[in-house]
Structures are given as structure tokens and as C-alpha cells.
Amino acid sequence: MLQLQNYINGQLVAPVAGTYLPTIEPATGQVYAEIPDSSPADVARAVTAAEAALPTWRMLPAEERGRLLVRIAELLERDLELLAQAESLDNGKPVSLARTVDIPRAASNFAFFGTAAQHFASETHFQEGVALNYTVRHPLGVVGCISPWNLPLYLFTWKIAPALAAGCCVVAKPSELTPYTAFLLSNLCIEAGLPAGVLNIVHGTGPSAGQAIVEHPAIKAISFTGGTATGAHIARTAAPLFKKLSLELGGKNPNIIFADCNLAEAVRTSLRSSFSNQGQICLCGSRIFIERPVYEVFKTEFLQGVAGLTIGDPQEEGTQQGAVVSEAHLRKVLGYIELAHQEGGTLLAGGQRIELKGRCAGGYFLQPTVFEGLRPDCRVNQEEIFGPVVTLTPFDTEEEVLAWANSTEYGLAATVWTSNLTRAHRVAHALHSGIVWINTWMHRDLRTPFGGMKNSGVGREGGLEALRFFTEPQSITLKL
Ligand code: TXE
């Protein structure tokens, strides 16, 4: 059986305690590999290696650091097919999605921050005849990056690349549910010639390896993406240690469809924003609000689209819907479907687990599910389900839909569909949401600030925001 190893001090190493955890292929329910069940001792080794590498790495010119990151991007592109297959195996997502979204984006993350480091500038404040104030941005030091299972390599590299570009050394942990592409990345870092200790990848569970990263006194910052409850726990642990925190947490994103929009485009894109990656993207829209005059036509066309989705073995080319990530997650999502019935919802599509035949007989497949008739304040419309389940709700006025859109504890992303430019901006500004897409979804420019309001997180990733996060500003004043 495939056995993954930690990547510490430039080498692939076994965990100190010698214990491993099974990892399961969601499409089959079968164990396909084992991963180090790392303990605080492994994290301590990784931190020691990172501290030793730091003085040289931070003093390297940004151009040289950038060249290494760009080299890693090239290797990710070279191995795109292998990595896409691995991501699909590990996560249950369609291989076509991994090939077109996850892996290309992981390569872009390295290429983007490899070059961004050379464009990073700090501020100067000149007081005429009195003083010159300037800001130096020092790398923070050794930082921790903890990522989730839904977009494994995509989100792992989204944290690691800016940290390395900023001159930090990194101890990173991928989700224990999806460790495979992070392991393959270790090999590519070795091949690229990344100096030993600059990046260390420790596998294992949240309560053991993850907690040790958050608690380690030499780790200056934590960049975390995951569930809101875990984020709150990490904040409680890190706050008394005065660590810098970037938390990208859950969402319960609204799609607002006004009657004057391009309806065909809104239906097509809403299908993607509802069910891409089996609805397991923090940016997925799960509450679809439709202006009443077009409610019935939207509903009919949307349901036709849902009926046309191909669900099956993620490794088959035509598959659009793969498996959800784990049995526990499948149960969680099924629990919300049951709750939607209890809360008085009308099931319009799906609602059941799917039992496939053959290779995928034991896999965690779920029908894309649509409900209507649920109150905007019910639990199904307030809590993050993070699966292929959406609700449709008609609305009559802009005020009403804004109140509903803003009524959850989350504020990550929203989409607005309208051809009225004035309304588009007015509604966007009124949404309590870190990201608003108008007539599109998941359109990403890596320079823009990425993150959520309210319980969707603290801080922003992306572009200069990420480089600022991983650096410590120092203000220096020279009297003239
Ligand atoms: O994520 P966790 P889970 C949401 C989604 C999902 C729910 C729970 O609603 O159903 O969260 O998912 C590590 N110290 N999202 O439980 O636990 C863990 O090992 C340090 C939204 O699977 O948040 C993994 O690497 N680390 C989301 C990472 O945290 C800890 C993506 C995320 O796992 C830790 C994923 C600890 N004490 C889930 N405990 C998004 N925003 O995209 C766990 N971890």
C-alpha cells in the first residue's frame, strides 16, 4: 500500500512515533494509502528545521526566492495530469475539475507569488523639512499553514506560496482527509532545489499535528482555512500567544437573481455555483433568491439542468458530480436533507444517497438536491451544509432580499444577477459579504483581497494582502 511521509528539513521522513493513519478513496470507500499520524514531536522537528533555514532564506533576494517558486510552478504544470488524477482519487472530485481548476490554480499560486514578491513595495511618508518616515516589511519568521480537504492543493499552495515569497519559512499541514497532492508537492520541492527546511509538510490530524502547530511558541502566524468552529478554537488557542491570524472560514452564500438579468446565463452559472465540487466550495451559492416574476421559469430551467448532471466515477471523463469527501460528511449532508423535510421544505430534486455499481459500489455519492418553500430564517437556510444542497426562494423587493441575504452569521461571497448597473452596485455595496460577483461566479483575479466578513473569517488573502500578512511592518523615522 502507498505510504506517504512527512517532508522535513528537505527530506521525506517517517513520523517520530512510527504510527500511520489510513486514508480513504471517497469514490470507493476503500483505504488506498496511509499517512503519518504526526505528533507534537514531528512538528517540533519541522519547526527546528524551519528556524535553521530562516536566516538564509529571508536574506535571499526576492528575485531568487521568486525563481524557485516559479520553478515549482513549472513542475506542477509538467505533472498536471498525475496531480489531477491524485486529487480526484483522494478527494472524490471529477478528474476533469481537478485538471481544469485545482491543479492549474496551484501552479498559478506559485507563479503569481513568485513574481509578486518582486513588486512588493513599502510606504514612505515624507514630512517636509522635518522627517523622513519609511516602513520596512520584515518576514514574520516561521509560520504555520493549515488547509482543508475541499480544494486540497489549490488552498494549500494559496497559503504556502505567499509565505515563502515574503521570506518566511513554513510548517504546513494539509487535511488528513486529502494528503496526497501535498505529498507529491514535497517531491517537486526537492526536485526544484528548494533549500532544506524552508518548507516543511507535516501530515496528521487536527487535534494532534494541527494543534501542535497552533500552540508552538516559535510559530509567529497561522494561516488557516476550514470550518468556523475549528477557526474559533484556533483563535482561542493562538490569541494568548499573540500570533497573527488569518482565518478563512465557512459561508452560506446568497445568489440574488433579478428579473431583468440574462436568465439563461444566471441558470447556467447557478448550476455551477450550486454543485461544483459537489457543493464543497466555501464560495458555492446555496441560497438562491429569485425575483417573483421569473421564479417559475428559473425553477423549471434550473431543475432541467440538475436532471442533466452526470454523477459517477470521478475518474471517468464525462463525470460532472463525484463523491463527497467522507462518510462522516455524507451523513452530515443527509442530516440537513432530513432537517429540510422537517422544516417544511418541498423537495424538488435529489435528496438521496446514490449506490453506484462496480468499482464505486461503496462510494459516498449524493444526488444534487434542491428544495423550495423554506423560510429564510430556518436552520437549513442559515447553517453551512457544504454539500450539493440548495434552496430556491422567491422575493418581491430589493429591501426584502437584502435583509434575507444578510441574515446569516456568515459573510463570505454573494452573486447578483441584473442588467441594471445602478442596482448592481447599490446591492453589492449593501451586502455584508467579503466578495460580490455581479453576473458571474468564481471569477478570480489573484491580486484581489480574498476573505469574508462576520463569522466567515478574519483577514484577507490574495495579492499584496497576503504579502502584508506574512510580514511585520517596522516604521523608521529619520529627523532631517
Ligand atoms: O474541517 P476542519 P472539517 C466547513 C464545512 C465542513 C465543516 C467541518 O462546513 O462541513 O467545516 O469540516 C485542521 N488545530 N469547512 O471538520 O476541522 C484539520 O486537520 C489545528 C469549510 O473537515 O475545519 C484540517 O487540516 N488544526 C471550509 C483543517 O483544520 C486543526 C473547508 C480543516 O478542518 C484542528 C473545510 C486544531 N484543533 C470545511 N482541528 C472552507 N472554508 O472552505 C482541525 N484542524
Side-chain angles (χ1 to χ4, degrees):
M1 183 182 303
L2 179 64
Q3 189 179 64
L4 311 189
Q5 303 294 6
N6 288 333
Y7 169 55
I8 296 178
N9 204 20
Q11 292 180 331
L12 297 176
V13 294
V16 173
T19 47
Y20 290 81
L21 297 166
T23 186
I24 289 172
E25 179 184 1
T28 62
Q30 301 296 314
V31 174
Y32 82 91
E34 52 182 22
I35 67 162
D37 182 8
S38 303
S39 66
D42 297 289
V43 171
R45 282 176 69 180
V47 173
T48 303
E51 283 183 305
L54 186 64
T56 309
W57 182 249
R58 65 181 295 160
M59 294 310 290
L60 217 57
E63 202 179 342
E64 280 182 47
R65 285 202 299 267
R67 209 173 285 137
L68 279 161
L69 300 192
V70 171
R71 177 73 189 128
I72 295 171
E74 289 165 355
L75 295 176
L76 287 167
E77 276 168 2
R78 183 197 69 188
D79 288 356
L80 187 141
E81 189 53 33
L82 173 86
L83 289 158
Q85 296 286 347
E87 202 71 294
S88 169
L89 170 85
D90 206 19
N91 170 275
K93 68 178 67 207
V95 68
S96 55
L97 185 71
R99 192 184 286 135
T100 51
V101 176
D102 293 73
I103 309 307
R105 176 57 194 278
S108 301
N109 289 340
F110 272 103
F112 176 83
F113 284 108
T115 48
Q118 295 170 52
H119 301 273
F120 190 38
S122 64
E123 310 85 43
T124 304
H125 302 94
F126 185 60
Q127 292 172 298
E128 199 72 44
V130 181
L132 169 68
N133 308 278
Y134 65 95
T135 307
V136 182
R137 290 197 162 263
H138 299 285
L140 271 182
V142 177
V143 298
C145 298
I146 299 175
S147 62
W149 43 260
N150 57 329
L151 300 168
L153 194 63
Y154 175 133
L155 291 176
F156 196 57
T157 53
W158 179 234
K159 298 179 176 306
I160 290 170
L164 296 177
C168 295
C169 289
V170 177
V171 177
K173 191 190 90 60
S175 168
E176 59 274 37
L177 298 177
T178 51
Y180 196 10
T181 47
F183 169 73
L184 296 173
L185 175 68
S186 312
N187 290 324
L188 297 183
C189 290
I190 294 169
E191 185 179 344
L194 191 70
V198 165
L199 170 64
N200 304 275
I201 300 176
V202 179
H203 294 273
T205 67
S208 179
Q211 184 75 16
I213 292 173
V214 178
E215 285 178 353
H216 199 294
I219 292 185
K220 303 294 178 213
I222 301 291
S223 174
F224 169 80
T225 299
T228 293
T230 310
H233 174 79
I234 288 176
R236 272 194 300 275
T237 311
L241 299 166
F242 304 110
K243 292 184 191 220
K244 222 171 163 183
L245 274 183
S246 168
L247 303 174
E248 297 301 331
L249 310 174
K252 188 70 184 175
N253 309 312
N255 293 9
I256 302 177
I257 320 275
F258 286 101
D260 64 0
C261 75
N262 177 337
L263 203 67
E265 187 59 32
V267 169
R268 233 186 344 265
T269 307
S270 297
L271 274 169
R272 273 202 311 121
S273 71
S274 300
F275 300 118
S276 284
N277 208 36
Q278 296 72 249
Q280 302 166 125
I281 304 180
C282 53
L283 305 169
C284 277
S286 52
R287 296 179 295 150
I288 308 180
F289 298 109
I290 306 132
E291 205 169 9
R292 201 175 297 275
V294 292
Y295 183 81
E296 288 302 327
V297 48
F298 180 95
K299 179 170 116 179
T300 306
E301 290 179 18
F302 187 74
L303 292 175
Q304 274 168 7
V306 174
L309 290 171
T310 309
I311 307 159
D313 188 339
Q315 303 206 335
E316 280 174 16
E317 290 302 327
T319 295
Q320 292 165 300
Q321 292 283 294
V324 299
V325 75
S326 67
E327 191 172 2
H329 194 58
L330 176 76
R331 285 216 202 89
K332 174 188 158 178
V333 180
L334 284 169
Y336 274 105
I337 291 173
E338 179 53 36
L339 181 64
H341 287 294
Q342 286 166 18
E343 290 186 321
T346 303
L347 182 70
L348 299 176
Q352 303 286 330
R353 180 177 184 171
I354 301 175
E355 314 256 345
L356 295 178
K357 301 254 176 330
R359 189 184 96 82
C360 294
Y364 314 131
F365 295 88
L366 197 55
Q367 292 174 326
T369 298
V370 186
F371 278 95
E372 70 173 352
L374 283 158
R375 288 166 51 109
D377 62 355
C378 74
R379 280 184 57 204
V380 167
N381 271 326
Q382 291 287 315
E383 297 176 15
E384 186 182 45
I385 299 174
F386 216 64
V389 180
V390 299
T391 64
L392 307 185
T393 309
F395 70 89
D396 292 302
T397 66
E398 192 178 305
E399 294 69 33
E400 176 181 58
V401 76
L402 272 171
W404 290 345
N406 288 336
S407 70
T408 74
E409 67 181 55
Y410 297 107
L412 187 55
T415 61
V416 181
W417 290 88
T418 179
S419 58
N420 179 333
L421 198 57
T422 308
R423 172 158 60 198
H425 289 291
R426 186 173 62 229
V427 169
H429 292 203
L431 282 163
H432 303 161
S433 177
I435 299 152
V436 180
W437 281 295
I438 300 168
N439 298 333
T440 185
W441 176 69
M442 195 94 167
H443 185 103
R444 291 286 294 126
D445 177 328
L446 303 191
R447 294 169 298 182
T448 59
F450 179 89
M453 297 180 182
K454 303 195 277 185
N455 291 6
S456 289
V458 178
R460 294 292 181 272
E461 299 183 316
L464 298 180
E465 299 284 340
L467 294 175
R468 289 197 188 104
F469 175 75
F470 287 113
T471 53
E472 183 92 88
Q474 182 186 36
S475 180
I476 298 177
T477 300
L478 171 75
K479 186 172 177 291
L480 296 178

